[in-house]
Every structure is written in C-alpha cells, then in structure tokens.
C-alpha cells in the first residue's frame, strides 16, 4: 500500500514522501512542487531506521542501575507520581523539547509542561542567531520562494555545504548552473562545493562580516549603492561612515581573503542582474555569528538585491508561520499562554552550568525529540548533570541522553503516526500520514501524554487530535480535509519577500549593524579552529551504532602546520581547553590551513562526540551556541 506522508526530521526541505509499506520503500513525492519526486538518502532510510534491531519498542525502567522492561501502566504511574509530588514546586521540573521530530501534534509535550508551569529552556543550538540577525535587520523573518533561484543572474553560496545539506537547494542551484547561471561559493573549504561552483573564495571561518564590509566599502567607492535603496533604511549615514572608517587591507587581513577574490566578489554584487545569496547555518555558529549575518544582509540590501525576483538572501523562514496555536486543558479548562505564570528558563547552550547552579535544583527532567546530552557543548558535563534528577526520555534508541534515563518511553515515529508540519525553507504545509503500524508497544507522544495527564490531579488533557490540527490551520485558512486528500497545501505567503522594500519595523525601514567587532586573537596554545560540521549520511546523532566503531576521523589540509608536525605512526589526539580525545588524522584538499574538521553527531559513549571537548560559548545575539569558535590543537602525546 502506498501512502503520501512527509519527513519530520530537523531538515529545511520537509520532503513530501511516498511510502510503500509492502515493499518497505520510500521515495520523494513526484506531485509535490518542491520535493519533485526525490529525497535524500536519510529520507530513503526512514523505514530502515524504524525496523532497526537497535530500536527500543517497550517502556524501560531503571532499577539498581540497570534498565528493565515494563508495561505502560507501570511506567506512567511511576512518572505521574514524580510529577504529582512536584505540583507545588513546578520549577523543579524541566522540560527539554527539540526538533528531532516536528509537527503540530508533536507540540503535545510543550503544551503539557506549560500547563504544569514547569521550567523550560531558551537559546538555540541551530538557527536562532541568524534569525535574530534577520529580525534586527528586516524586522521580520522572510525570504523569496526558493524557486526564485532559477531566475537569478548569479548565485553566491555564502557558507553552505550544498553536498551535505538540503538536497533540493543543491538541485535548484545545479539546475540554475546548468542553464548558465554562474555560482560562487565562499567557505573555509573542506566541503563538497568545489564540484558545484564556478568560483571559490576561501575565508577564515567566523570572519564573514569583514569580507561583506569590504565589498560594501568597494561598492560605495564605485558609486554602486542606489539612493532609492538608502531611502528605505534607518540612519544610513552612520552605517556608511562606519564602512568608510574601515581599511580595506585590514578587512582582508582579518578574513584572510585575497585582493583578487575581493575584486571578483565586487564584480558579482555590482552586476545589474539579480544576485541570489544563500546563507549557510554555520556562518552564525561563531562568537560574532549574528554580526556576520547582519553585514551579509547589509550587502544584499545595498547591492539592490532585496525585494527583487531572482535575488534575495536565502536563510530561513519560520516552519510554524502557517500555524496557529492549540492549548492543553487543565481540569477541563483551557490553559492559554497568558494564564501561565512566568516560568523558570534555562539557557540551553550553557545548560550544564545552568543546572549546576540552579536554585532550587532541578529534580525531574523530561526530554523528547532531543538527544540533548549529545548535542550541547560540554557533553561530558551534561551526562554528569543528568545523574541526580529523575530523568524521563522519550526515544526509540539508546542514545547518550537515553543512557541517563530512569524511564525510557518509546515513541511512534513518522510514519507510524499522523501529523502536519511546515518547512523553514518553502511555504508548503505537508501531511505526515500514518503509513505503517507502530512497532511493539510504541505509542505516539500525544497518546502517551494524554494517558499521563489523566493520572494527575488536577488532570491535564488535550483536545481531540483533529481539533488540534484544525485549530493550527485555521489562521492561515488551510483545510485539513484538503491536506488529507492531497498530502500537501501551499501557505498564503507571496513568492517575493519585501517586494516594496517595506520592512517589519514600526517605521518600515531596514536597520544596519551599529558596529564591526574585531575577531578574537588566536590562542598560541590552541592555534587551530575546530569545525564540527554536518554529515551527509546521518541527521545529527541519528546514526546506527555500527557506524561509530573505531577511532573518529578528523580532517586537515596538508598546508596545516599540525600536519607536518605529526607522526602518523603514533596516536593522535584532538586537544582543547575542555580536554582531549583520540582521533584518526586524514587530509582533504581545499581546506583552510588553520581548520580541523570533525563531523558532528557521533555518540559520547563511543568516543565519537566532538561536543565532549567543545566549550559552552554564546554567540553575540539569539543566545546561540558558538560551536565553531572552538580553538584546538593536534598532538602526539609523549
């Protein structure tokens, strides 16, 4: 039987899928205007992951340090008793929800713990730094429809590894290039962009703001900045004075870019044809990541590429912008956000220190859709911080977070349940239909929380699932019945962002960054920079145990000073101020000489997790994790 469903992984493409339950096969939906009949290898392995022998398919309870099987009644009674005992002090409970599985009904745990008044978290491990930068600049989060890339005269890929992320953006750029649109990629290298680009500019990671400022400065000298664009900005003279005060040689020295590359980039942005700029998520994962984004946005704006077909900056939209909110019920009464007292909130990128200094301490943690122990900086400290509270983990695999659990509740995954979700890249809302039965005793999050809430006094309940879905769709005028018939519907947003240069601020004007911060000096004890980059074979930490055997690999350029100093016959260690881990050293062409690449998501229990040696540092805005500002060195121990 074939079913139209959708991928709910933390990926911008949000693919519409055709699932053949009999053949156990998954492919992209050919009728979906964005998915266009194909999906990535991760999506194709959806059922393989569901069928894995490693999957947890019944509740588990820890006794005397060991996990044993239990039924749902025993497990939920145990959890309900812990929650009931903390009803008078809800701040002692912490709910951690991630994006490992997305959707309208997947918000059930958020609504449940909000109704309890439990502690929550803020800050981000992914995109909030770039989002905050865009909100400061444009006053709203929007971008052109991605198909506008096909109308571009030139495409600048600023920091995306098109070979390992967003397979449909890769395909769009490839189609445009095949039709004659040139592509220029800016990155530290070590990615798959060389085969997908006509020109390459290598940059020191984390210094993109200086290159963008240098291009703006040159465009200003060339008289290529239109007065009509400046009239749609707030305090343009102050920003242009800041740019004029910068020395071009100093800017290029800071980002380690050649004058010839600056000349080329200026030629591209001075072109009269529309220039589409793709902004990579990694560009924001630095201590000045927000500033990086703001200067790139300013370049896109001042070169006349905002509000224009075929142009624009392509980063992010809200995946929930087409959805309204449904609420939980407490003893039969709706719990609205304004009815909930202010909740204690922990800064997620610095969660270890936050938990260790919490007063009152956290004594109960519920984690769902998030391998948080694995994903946050100082992963070793996270595992230790989870040792004292009573921990409930909703997961189907024995992840680093599940290892810390006192109770593991096995969820039904997509496509074992129905949900509705949106994309942070395109405007289609997709139905993730149930295509196969849940394995073993697995239950949907919505179902398990409904059951758990009924065991509390006063009880917490939810509206019927269909009511939740219809409420979420109502604000955008979208139909659940149409979604179920077609598998997808398009949201009500236009194809061009800010078409009249009217922005989201109260005065309708664009905002420029107010300063240009210098890059921190390199630490002579740790002269290299660790980039824990995305994998092509797995979504974050969702990988099989068999793929994590042996010593984890890192990659450097042959021009890296560490390469010449290493003895390949001896053990190699990656060292940061947080500690060290054994690695296998390999080389890769076209990588910045001071960069060390390690692929993210490996599990702590297998010694494959770079977050074990990454310090908890914050970005300049959006409370993001500055993973890529981690200094390091490579050494052969004595």
């Amino acid at each position: 039987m074939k079913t139209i469903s959708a991928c709910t992984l933390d990926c911008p493409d949000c693919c519409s899928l055709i699932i053949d339950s009999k053949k156990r096969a998954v492919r992209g939906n050919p009728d979906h205007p964005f998915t266009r009949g194909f999906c990535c290898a991760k999506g194709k392995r959806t059922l393989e992951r569901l069928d894995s022998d490693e999957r947890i398919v019944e509740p588990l309870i820890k006794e005397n340090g060991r996990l044993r099987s239990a039924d749902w009644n025993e497990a939920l009674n145990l959890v309900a008793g812990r929650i009931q005992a903390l009803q008078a002090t809800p701040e002692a409970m912490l709910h951690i929800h991630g994006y490992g599985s997305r959707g309208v009904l997947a918000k059930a745990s958020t609504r449940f713990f909000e109704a309890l008044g439990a502690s929550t978290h803020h800050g981000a491990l992914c995109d909030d730094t770039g989002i905050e930068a865009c909100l400061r600049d444009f006053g709203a989060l929007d971008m052109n429809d991605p198909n506008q890339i096909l109308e571009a005269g030139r495409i600048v890929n600023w920091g995306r590894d098109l070979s390992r992320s967003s397979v449909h953006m890769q395909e769009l750029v490839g189609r445009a290039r095949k039709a004659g649109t040139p592509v220029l990629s800016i990155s530290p290298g070590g990615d798959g962009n060389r085969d997908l680009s006509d020109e390459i500019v290598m940059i020191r990671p984390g210094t993109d703001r200086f290159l963008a400022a240098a291009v703006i400065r040159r465009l200003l000298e060339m008289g290529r900045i239109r007065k009509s664009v400046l009239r749609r900005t707030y305090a343009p003279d102050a920003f242009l004075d800041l740019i004029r005060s910068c020395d071009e040689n100093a800017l290029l020295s800071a980002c380690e870019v050649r004058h010839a590359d600056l000349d080329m980039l200026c030629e591209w942005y001075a072109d009269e044809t529309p220039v589409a700029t793709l902004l990579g998520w990694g560009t924001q994962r630095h201590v000045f990541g927000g500033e990086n984004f703001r200067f790139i946005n300013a370049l896109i704006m001042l070169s006349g590429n905002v509000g224009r077909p075929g142009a624009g900056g392509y980063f992010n939209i809200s995946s929930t912008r087409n959805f309204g909110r449904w609420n939980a019920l407490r003893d039969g009464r709706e719990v609205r956000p304004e009815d909930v007292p202010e909740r204690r909130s922990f800064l997620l990128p610095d969660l270890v220190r936050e938990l260790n200094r919490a007063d009152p301490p956290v004594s109960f943690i519920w984690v769902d859709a998030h391998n948080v122990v694995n994903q946050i900086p100082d992963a070793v400290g996270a595992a230790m911080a989870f040792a004292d509270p009573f921990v409930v983990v909703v997961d189907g695999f024995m992840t680093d977070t599940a290892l810390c659990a006192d109770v593991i509740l096995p969820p039904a995954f997509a496509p074992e349940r129905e949900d509705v979700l949106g994309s942070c890249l395109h405007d289609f809302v997709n139905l993730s239909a149930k295509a196969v039965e849940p394995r073993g005793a697995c239950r949907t999050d919505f179902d398990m929380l409904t059951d758990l809430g009924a065991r509390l006094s006063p009880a917490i309940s939810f509206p019927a699932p269909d009511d939740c879905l219809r409420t979420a769709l109502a604000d955008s005028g979208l139909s659940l019945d149409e979604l179920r018939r077609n598998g997808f519907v398009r949201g009500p947003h236009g194809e061009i962002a800010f078409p009249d240069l009217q922005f989201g601020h109260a005065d309708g004007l664009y905002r420029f960054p107010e300063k240009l911060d210098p890059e921190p000096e390199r630490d002579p004890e740790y002269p290299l920079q660790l980039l824990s980059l995305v994998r092509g074979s797995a979504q974050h930490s969702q990988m099989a145990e068999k793929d994590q055997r042996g010593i984890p690999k890192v990659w450097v350029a042959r021009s890296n000073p560490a390469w010449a100093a290493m003895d390949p016959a001896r053990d190699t260690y990656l060292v940061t101020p947080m500690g060290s881990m054994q690695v296998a050293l390999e080389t890769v062409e076209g990588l910045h000489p001071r960069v060390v690449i390690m692929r993210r998501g490996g599990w702590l229990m297998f010694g494959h997790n770079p977050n074990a040696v990454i310090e908890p540092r914050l970005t300049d805005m959006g409370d993001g994790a500055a993973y890529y500002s981690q200094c390091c060195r490579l050494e052969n121990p004595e």
Side-chain angles (χ1 to χ4, degrees), residues 483-512:
L483 252 180
R484 284 177 171 157
R485 284 195 305 271
N486 298 336
F488 60 89
V489 294
R490 182 160 195 145
H493 301 271
E495 291 197 1
I496 307 300
F498 314 114
D500 53 0
L501 296 188
Q502 183 71 30
F503 301 103
H505 296 293
D507 59 8
L509 300 178
Y510 180 90
R511 297 291 194 274
F512 291 113

PDB file of all heavy atoms in Angstrom, residues 483-512:
ATOM      1  N   LEU A 483      -5.650  18.757   2.930  1.00  0.00           N
ATOM      2  CA  LEU A 483      -4.344  18.171   3.242  1.00  0.00           C
ATOM      3  C   LEU A 483      -4.399  16.654   3.173  1.00  0.00           C
ATOM      4  O   LEU A 483      -3.499  16.008   2.618  1.00  0.00           O
ATOM      5  CB  LEU A 483      -3.919  18.605   4.653  1.00  0.00           C
ATOM      6  CG  LEU A 483      -2.799  19.625   4.795  1.00  0.00           C
ATOM      7  CD1 LEU A 483      -2.542  19.921   6.257  1.00  0.00           C
ATOM      8  CD2 LEU A 483      -1.525  19.137   4.134  1.00  0.00           C
ATOM      9  N   ARG A 484      -5.439  16.085   3.729  1.00  0.00           N
ATOM     10  CA  ARG A 484      -5.550  14.625   3.736  1.00  0.00           C
ATOM     11  C   ARG A 484      -5.824  14.079   2.334  1.00  0.00           C
ATOM     12  O   ARG A 484      -5.415  12.966   2.025  1.00  0.00           O
ATOM     13  CB  ARG A 484      -6.645  14.200   4.712  1.00  0.00           C
ATOM     14  CG  ARG A 484      -6.193  14.308   6.168  1.00  0.00           C
ATOM     15  CD  ARG A 484      -7.294  13.968   7.137  1.00  0.00           C
ATOM     16  NE  ARG A 484      -6.765  13.882   8.509  1.00  0.00           N
ATOM     17  CZ  ARG A 484      -7.502  14.038   9.600  1.00  0.00           C
ATOM     18  NH1 ARG A 484      -8.816  14.291   9.482  1.00  0.00           N
ATOM     19  NH2 ARG A 484      -6.954  13.933  10.799  1.00  0.00           N
ATOM     20  N   ARG A 485      -6.483  14.865   1.494  1.00  0.00           N
ATOM     21  CA  ARG A 485      -6.720  14.413   0.123  1.00  0.00           C
ATOM     22  C   ARG A 485      -5.446  14.487  -0.721  1.00  0.00           C
ATOM     23  O   ARG A 485      -5.121  13.566  -1.466  1.00  0.00           O
ATOM     24  CB  ARG A 485      -7.813  15.268  -0.534  1.00  0.00           C
ATOM     25  CG  ARG A 485      -9.227  14.957  -0.089  1.00  0.00           C
ATOM     26  CD  ARG A 485     -10.241  15.567  -1.037  1.00  0.00           C
ATOM     27  NE  ARG A 485     -10.048  17.008  -1.206  1.00  0.00           N
ATOM     28  CZ  ARG A 485     -10.621  17.938  -0.434  1.00  0.00           C
ATOM     29  NH1 ARG A 485     -11.421  17.572   0.562  1.00  0.00           N
ATOM     30  NH2 ARG A 485     -10.414  19.219  -0.663  1.00  0.00           N
ATOM     31  N   ASN A 486      -4.709  15.600  -0.600  1.00  0.00           N
ATOM     32  CA  ASN A 486      -3.575  15.861  -1.498  1.00  0.00           C
ATOM     33  C   ASN A 486      -2.215  15.540  -0.893  1.00  0.00           C
ATOM     34  O   ASN A 486      -1.241  15.366  -1.624  1.00  0.00           O
ATOM     35  CB  ASN A 486      -3.576  17.331  -1.931  1.00  0.00           C
ATOM     36  CG  ASN A 486      -4.816  17.705  -2.705  1.00  0.00           C
ATOM     37  OD1 ASN A 486      -5.463  16.851  -3.309  1.00  0.00           O
ATOM     38  ND2 ASN A 486      -5.163  18.977  -2.693  1.00  0.00           N
ATOM     39  N   GLY A 487      -2.131  15.521   0.431  1.00  0.00           N
ATOM     40  CA  GLY A 487      -0.839  15.298   1.090  1.00  0.00           C
ATOM     41  C   GLY A 487      -0.076  16.576   1.355  1.00  0.00           C
ATOM     42  O   GLY A 487       0.904  16.572   2.105  1.00  0.00           O
ATOM     43  N   PHE A 488      -0.495  17.695   0.768  1.00  0.00           N
ATOM     44  CA  PHE A 488       0.168  18.981   0.979  1.00  0.00           C
ATOM     45  C   PHE A 488      -0.740  20.103   0.492  1.00  0.00           C
ATOM     46  O   PHE A 488      -1.620  19.898  -0.353  1.00  0.00           O
ATOM     47  CB  PHE A 488       1.515  19.047   0.240  1.00  0.00           C
ATOM     48  CG  PHE A 488       1.399  18.871  -1.253  1.00  0.00           C
ATOM     49  CD1 PHE A 488       1.198  19.965  -2.096  1.00  0.00           C
ATOM     50  CD2 PHE A 488       1.480  17.604  -1.822  1.00  0.00           C
ATOM     51  CE1 PHE A 488       1.083  19.807  -3.464  1.00  0.00           C
ATOM     52  CE2 PHE A 488       1.358  17.434  -3.201  1.00  0.00           C
ATOM     53  CZ  PHE A 488       1.160  18.531  -4.022  1.00  0.00           C
ATOM     54  N   VAL A 489      -0.538  21.306   1.049  1.00  0.00           N
ATOM     55  CA  VAL A 489      -1.186  22.522   0.561  1.00  0.00           C
ATOM     56  C   VAL A 489      -0.162  23.651   0.654  1.00  0.00           C
ATOM     57  O   VAL A 489       0.777  23.591   1.449  1.00  0.00           O
ATOM     58  CB  VAL A 489      -2.449  22.905   1.362  1.00  0.00           C
ATOM     59  CG1 VAL A 489      -3.550  21.880   1.182  1.00  0.00           C
ATOM     60  CG2 VAL A 489      -2.121  23.087   2.847  1.00  0.00           C
ATOM     61  N   ARG A 490      -0.346  24.676  -0.159  1.00  0.00           N
ATOM     62  CA  ARG A 490       0.563  25.810  -0.121  1.00  0.00           C
ATOM     63  C   ARG A 490       0.032  26.865   0.825  1.00  0.00           C
ATOM     64  O   ARG A 490      -1.163  27.160   0.870  1.00  0.00           O
ATOM     65  CB  ARG A 490       0.739  26.405  -1.516  1.00  0.00           C
ATOM     66  CG  ARG A 490       1.716  27.567  -1.520  1.00  0.00           C
ATOM     67  CD  ARG A 490       2.289  27.878  -2.859  1.00  0.00           C
ATOM     68  NE  ARG A 490       3.462  28.740  -2.674  1.00  0.00           N
ATOM     69  CZ  ARG A 490       4.538  28.695  -3.412  1.00  0.00           C
ATOM     70  NH1 ARG A 490       4.626  27.820  -4.398  1.00  0.00           N
ATOM     71  NH2 ARG A 490       5.561  29.510  -3.188  1.00  0.00           N
ATOM     72  N   GLY A 491       0.940  27.460   1.622  1.00  0.00           N
ATOM     73  CA  GLY A 491       0.567  28.540   2.512  1.00  0.00           C
ATOM     74  C   GLY A 491       0.272  29.822   1.754  1.00  0.00           C
ATOM     75  O   GLY A 491       0.502  29.922   0.541  1.00  0.00           O
ATOM     76  N   PRO A 492      -0.214  30.848   2.464  1.00  0.00           N
ATOM     77  CA  PRO A 492      -0.720  32.054   1.795  1.00  0.00           C
ATOM     78  C   PRO A 492       0.326  33.126   1.521  1.00  0.00           C
ATOM     79  O   PRO A 492      -0.023  34.264   1.195  1.00  0.00           O
ATOM     80  CB  PRO A 492      -1.768  32.557   2.791  1.00  0.00           C
ATOM     81  CG  PRO A 492      -1.225  32.146   4.128  1.00  0.00           C
ATOM     82  CD  PRO A 492      -0.532  30.819   3.893  1.00  0.00           C
ATOM     83  N   HIS A 493       1.625  32.814   1.661  1.00  0.00           N
ATOM     84  CA  HIS A 493       2.648  33.849   1.531  1.00  0.00           C
ATOM     85  C   HIS A 493       3.105  34.020   0.086  1.00  0.00           C
ATOM     86  O   HIS A 493       3.089  33.079  -0.713  1.00  0.00           O
ATOM     87  CB  HIS A 493       3.839  33.505   2.421  1.00  0.00           C
ATOM     88  CG  HIS A 493       3.464  33.388   3.863  1.00  0.00           C
ATOM     89  ND1 HIS A 493       3.475  34.464   4.723  1.00  0.00           N
ATOM     90  CD2 HIS A 493       3.035  32.323   4.596  1.00  0.00           C
ATOM     91  CE1 HIS A 493       3.085  34.069   5.929  1.00  0.00           C
ATOM     92  NE2 HIS A 493       2.803  32.779   5.872  1.00  0.00           N
ATOM     93  N   GLY A 494       3.545  35.234  -0.243  1.00  0.00           N
ATOM     94  CA  GLY A 494       3.969  35.552  -1.598  1.00  0.00           C
ATOM     95  C   GLY A 494       5.340  34.985  -1.928  1.00  0.00           C
ATOM     96  O   GLY A 494       6.093  34.552  -1.047  1.00  0.00           O
ATOM     97  N   GLU A 495       5.704  35.035  -3.210  1.00  0.00           N
ATOM     98  CA  GLU A 495       6.971  34.460  -3.667  1.00  0.00           C
ATOM     99  C   GLU A 495       8.151  35.398  -3.469  1.00  0.00           C
ATOM    100  O   GLU A 495       9.298  34.951  -3.456  1.00  0.00           O
ATOM    101  CB  GLU A 495       6.872  34.071  -5.149  1.00  0.00           C
ATOM    102  CG  GLU A 495       5.952  32.884  -5.398  1.00  0.00           C
ATOM    103  CD  GLU A 495       6.175  32.266  -6.762  1.00  0.00           C
ATOM    104  OE1 GLU A 495       7.052  32.745  -7.503  1.00  0.00           O
ATOM    105  OE2 GLU A 495       5.466  31.292  -7.078  1.00  0.00           O
ATOM    106  N   ILE A 496       7.893  36.706  -3.315  1.00  0.00           N
ATOM    107  CA  ILE A 496       8.971  37.679  -3.170  1.00  0.00           C
ATOM    108  C   ILE A 496       8.872  38.314  -1.777  1.00  0.00           C
ATOM    109  O   ILE A 496       7.818  38.851  -1.405  1.00  0.00           O
ATOM    110  CB  ILE A 496       8.899  38.787  -4.243  1.00  0.00           C
ATOM    111  CG1 ILE A 496       8.835  38.159  -5.639  1.00  0.00           C
ATOM    112  CG2 ILE A 496      10.092  39.728  -4.117  1.00  0.00           C
ATOM    113  CD1 ILE A 496      10.021  37.300  -5.995  1.00  0.00           C
ATOM    114  N   ALA A 497       9.945  38.258  -1.025  1.00  0.00           N
ATOM    115  CA  ALA A 497       9.979  38.868   0.307  1.00  0.00           C
ATOM    116  C   ALA A 497      10.231  40.371   0.184  1.00  0.00           C
ATOM    117  O   ALA A 497      11.086  40.801  -0.596  1.00  0.00           O
ATOM    118  CB  ALA A 497      11.086  38.223   1.144  1.00  0.00           C
ATOM    119  N   PHE A 498       9.487  41.154   0.925  1.00  0.00           N
ATOM    120  CA  PHE A 498       9.635  42.617   0.983  1.00  0.00           C
ATOM    121  C   PHE A 498       9.644  43.241  -0.415  1.00  0.00           C
ATOM    122  O   PHE A 498      10.571  43.990  -0.790  1.00  0.00           O
ATOM    123  CB  PHE A 498      10.922  42.987   1.737  1.00  0.00           C
ATOM    124  CG  PHE A 498      11.120  42.227   3.017  1.00  0.00           C
ATOM    125  CD1 PHE A 498      12.178  41.326   3.159  1.00  0.00           C
ATOM    126  CD2 PHE A 498      10.252  42.392   4.090  1.00  0.00           C
ATOM    127  CE1 PHE A 498      12.372  40.618   4.329  1.00  0.00           C
ATOM    128  CE2 PHE A 498      10.435  41.692   5.276  1.00  0.00           C
ATOM    129  CZ  PHE A 498      11.506  40.788   5.391  1.00  0.00           C
ATOM    130  N   PRO A 499       8.607  42.969  -1.233  1.00  0.00           N
ATOM    131  CA  PRO A 499       8.630  43.411  -2.631  1.00  0.00           C
ATOM    132  C   PRO A 499       8.647  44.922  -2.813  1.00  0.00           C
ATOM    133  O   PRO A 499       9.152  45.421  -3.813  1.00  0.00           O
ATOM    134  CB  PRO A 499       7.352  42.792  -3.211  1.00  0.00           C
ATOM    135  CG  PRO A 499       6.459  42.582  -2.030  1.00  0.00           C
ATOM    136  CD  PRO A 499       7.370  42.250  -0.900  1.00  0.00           C
ATOM    137  N   ASP A 500       8.141  45.674  -1.838  1.00  0.00           N
ATOM    138  CA  ASP A 500       8.127  47.138  -1.944  1.00  0.00           C
ATOM    139  C   ASP A 500       9.134  47.780  -0.992  1.00  0.00           C
ATOM    140  O   ASP A 500       9.049  48.980  -0.710  1.00  0.00           O
ATOM    141  CB  ASP A 500       6.720  47.674  -1.665  1.00  0.00           C
ATOM    142  CG  ASP A 500       6.162  47.173  -0.334  1.00  0.00           C
ATOM    143  OD1 ASP A 500       6.877  46.401   0.360  1.00  0.00           O
ATOM    144  OD2 ASP A 500       5.023  47.536   0.016  1.00  0.00           O
ATOM    145  N   LEU A 501      10.077  46.969  -0.510  1.00  0.00           N
ATOM    146  CA  LEU A 501      11.070  47.437   0.470  1.00  0.00           C
ATOM    147  C   LEU A 501      10.395  48.036   1.703  1.00  0.00           C
ATOM    148  O   LEU A 501      10.897  48.982   2.319  1.00  0.00           O
ATOM    149  CB  LEU A 501      12.045  48.433  -0.151  1.00  0.00           C
ATOM    150  CG  LEU A 501      12.936  47.894  -1.279  1.00  0.00           C
ATOM    151  CD1 LEU A 501      13.989  48.928  -1.667  1.00  0.00           C
ATOM    152  CD2 LEU A 501      13.598  46.579  -0.903  1.00  0.00           C
ATOM    153  N   GLN A 502       9.255  47.473   2.038  1.00  0.00           N
ATOM    154  CA  GLN A 502       8.556  47.827   3.273  1.00  0.00           C
ATOM    155  C   GLN A 502       8.871  46.726   4.271  1.00  0.00           C
ATOM    156  O   GLN A 502       8.501  45.568   4.073  1.00  0.00           O
ATOM    157  CB  GLN A 502       7.044  47.931   3.041  1.00  0.00           C
ATOM    158  CG  GLN A 502       6.241  48.361   4.255  1.00  0.00           C
ATOM    159  CD  GLN A 502       6.459  49.823   4.617  1.00  0.00           C
ATOM    160  OE1 GLN A 502       6.735  50.651   3.759  1.00  0.00           O
ATOM    161  NE2 GLN A 502       6.346  50.139   5.900  1.00  0.00           N
ATOM    162  N   PHE A 503       9.562  47.078   5.353  1.00  0.00           N
ATOM    163  CA  PHE A 503      10.070  46.072   6.276  1.00  0.00           C
ATOM    164  C   PHE A 503       9.238  46.010   7.545  1.00  0.00           C
ATOM    165  O   PHE A 503       8.308  46.791   7.741  1.00  0.00           O
ATOM    166  CB  PHE A 503      11.547  46.349   6.560  1.00  0.00           C
ATOM    167  CG  PHE A 503      12.376  46.335   5.307  1.00  0.00           C
ATOM    168  CD1 PHE A 503      12.806  47.523   4.720  1.00  0.00           C
ATOM    169  CD2 PHE A 503      12.694  45.144   4.683  1.00  0.00           C
ATOM    170  CE1 PHE A 503      13.548  47.518   3.549  1.00  0.00           C
ATOM    171  CE2 PHE A 503      13.432  45.112   3.502  1.00  0.00           C
ATOM    172  CZ  PHE A 503      13.861  46.306   2.933  1.00  0.00           C
ATOM    173  N   GLY A 504       9.569  45.060   8.400  1.00  0.00           N
ATOM    174  CA  GLY A 504       8.715  44.744   9.536  1.00  0.00           C
ATOM    175  C   GLY A 504       8.833  45.662  10.733  1.00  0.00           C
ATOM    176  O   GLY A 504       8.059  45.538  11.682  1.00  0.00           O
ATOM    177  N   HIS A 505       9.792  46.570  10.746  1.00  0.00           N
ATOM    178  CA  HIS A 505       9.899  47.527  11.845  1.00  0.00           C
ATOM    179  C   HIS A 505       8.742  48.526  11.800  1.00  0.00           C
ATOM    180  O   HIS A 505       8.115  48.713  10.743  1.00  0.00           O
ATOM    181  CB  HIS A 505      11.240  48.267  11.769  1.00  0.00           C
ATOM    182  CG  HIS A 505      12.433  47.374  11.939  1.00  0.00           C
ATOM    183  ND1 HIS A 505      12.718  46.730  13.123  1.00  0.00           N
ATOM    184  CD2 HIS A 505      13.402  46.995  11.063  1.00  0.00           C
ATOM    185  CE1 HIS A 505      13.816  46.015  12.979  1.00  0.00           C
ATOM    186  NE2 HIS A 505      14.260  46.145  11.745  1.00  0.00           N
ATOM    187  N   ALA A 506       8.488  49.170  12.928  1.00  0.00           N
ATOM    188  CA  ALA A 506       7.331  50.068  13.018  1.00  0.00           C
ATOM    189  C   ALA A 506       7.375  51.171  11.965  1.00  0.00           C
ATOM    190  O   ALA A 506       6.332  51.576  11.437  1.00  0.00           O
ATOM    191  CB  ALA A 506       7.260  50.675  14.420  1.00  0.00           C
ATOM    192  N   ASP A 507       8.576  51.658  11.633  1.00  0.00           N
ATOM    193  CA  ASP A 507       8.700  52.710  10.627  1.00  0.00           C
ATOM    194  C   ASP A 507       8.871  52.164   9.217  1.00  0.00           C
ATOM    195  O   ASP A 507       8.991  52.924   8.246  1.00  0.00           O
ATOM    196  CB  ASP A 507       9.858  53.655  10.965  1.00  0.00           C
ATOM    197  CG  ASP A 507      11.198  52.923  11.061  1.00  0.00           C
ATOM    198  OD1 ASP A 507      11.254  51.725  10.731  1.00  0.00           O
ATOM    199  OD2 ASP A 507      12.186  53.562  11.470  1.00  0.00           O
ATOM    200  N   GLY A 508       8.893  50.824   9.074  1.00  0.00           N
ATOM    201  CA  GLY A 508       9.001  50.199   7.764  1.00  0.00           C
ATOM    202  C   GLY A 508      10.388  50.220   7.165  1.00  0.00           C
ATOM    203  O   GLY A 508      10.572  49.812   6.006  1.00  0.00           O
ATOM    204  N   LEU A 509      11.407  50.670   7.929  1.00  0.00           N
ATOM    205  CA  LEU A 509      12.749  50.839   7.399  1.00  0.00           C
ATOM    206  C   LEU A 509      13.682  49.702   7.799  1.00  0.00           C
ATOM    207  O   LEU A 509      13.534  49.106   8.875  1.00  0.00           O
ATOM    208  CB  LEU A 509      13.349  52.167   7.879  1.00  0.00           C
ATOM    209  CG  LEU A 509      12.599  53.440   7.484  1.00  0.00           C
ATOM    210  CD1 LEU A 509      13.294  54.663   8.067  1.00  0.00           C
ATOM    211  CD2 LEU A 509      12.457  53.560   5.974  1.00  0.00           C
ATOM    212  N   TYR A 510      14.633  49.431   6.939  1.00  0.00           N
ATOM    213  CA  TYR A 510      15.689  48.439   7.195  1.00  0.00           C
ATOM    214  C   TYR A 510      16.665  49.001   8.235  1.00  0.00           C
ATOM    215  O   TYR A 510      16.895  50.212   8.319  1.00  0.00           O
ATOM    216  CB  TYR A 510      16.422  48.149   5.881  1.00  0.00           C
ATOM    217  CG  TYR A 510      17.545  47.151   5.982  1.00  0.00           C
ATOM    218  CD1 TYR A 510      17.311  45.795   5.798  1.00  0.00           C
ATOM    219  CD2 TYR A 510      18.843  47.561   6.251  1.00  0.00           C
ATOM    220  CE1 TYR A 510      18.346  44.867   5.896  1.00  0.00           C
ATOM    221  CE2 TYR A 510      19.885  46.651   6.351  1.00  0.00           C
ATOM    222  CZ  TYR A 510      19.631  45.305   6.176  1.00  0.00           C
ATOM    223  OH  TYR A 510      20.653  44.405   6.272  1.00  0.00           O
ATOM    224  N   ARG A 511      17.261  48.110   9.031  1.00  0.00           N
ATOM    225  CA  ARG A 511      18.239  48.510  10.040  1.00  0.00           C
ATOM    226  C   ARG A 511      19.621  47.932   9.717  1.00  0.00           C
ATOM    227  O   ARG A 511      19.744  46.770   9.335  1.00  0.00           O
ATOM    228  CB  ARG A 511      17.824  48.009  11.431  1.00  0.00           C
ATOM    229  CG  ARG A 511      16.518  48.566  11.968  1.00  0.00           C
ATOM    230  CD  ARG A 511      16.649  50.060  12.286  1.00  0.00           C
ATOM    231  NE  ARG A 511      15.551  50.555  13.086  1.00  0.00           N
ATOM    232  CZ  ARG A 511      14.383  50.994  12.616  1.00  0.00           C
ATOM    233  NH1 ARG A 511      14.153  50.959  11.317  1.00  0.00           N
ATOM    234  NH2 ARG A 511      13.453  51.458  13.430  1.00  0.00           N
ATOM    235  N   PHE A 512      20.662  48.740   9.899  1.00  0.00           N
ATOM    236  CA  PHE A 512      22.037  48.298   9.701  1.00  0.00           C
ATOM    237  C   PHE A 512      22.676  47.919  11.031  1.00  0.00           C
ATOM    238  O   PHE A 512      22.262  48.409  12.091  1.00  0.00           O
ATOM    239  CB  PHE A 512      22.874  49.417   9.072  1.00  0.00           C
ATOM    240  CG  PHE A 512      22.514  49.740   7.661  1.00  0.00           C
ATOM    241  CD1 PHE A 512      21.950  50.970   7.337  1.00  0.00           C
ATOM    242  CD2 PHE A 512      22.759  48.829   6.643  1.00  0.00           C
ATOM    243  CE1 PHE A 512      21.630  51.283   6.027  1.00  0.00           C
ATOM    244  CE2 PHE A 512      22.439  49.128   5.326  1.00  0.00           C
ATOM    245  CZ  PHE A 512      21.875  50.354   5.019  1.00  0.00           C
TER     246      PHE A 512
END
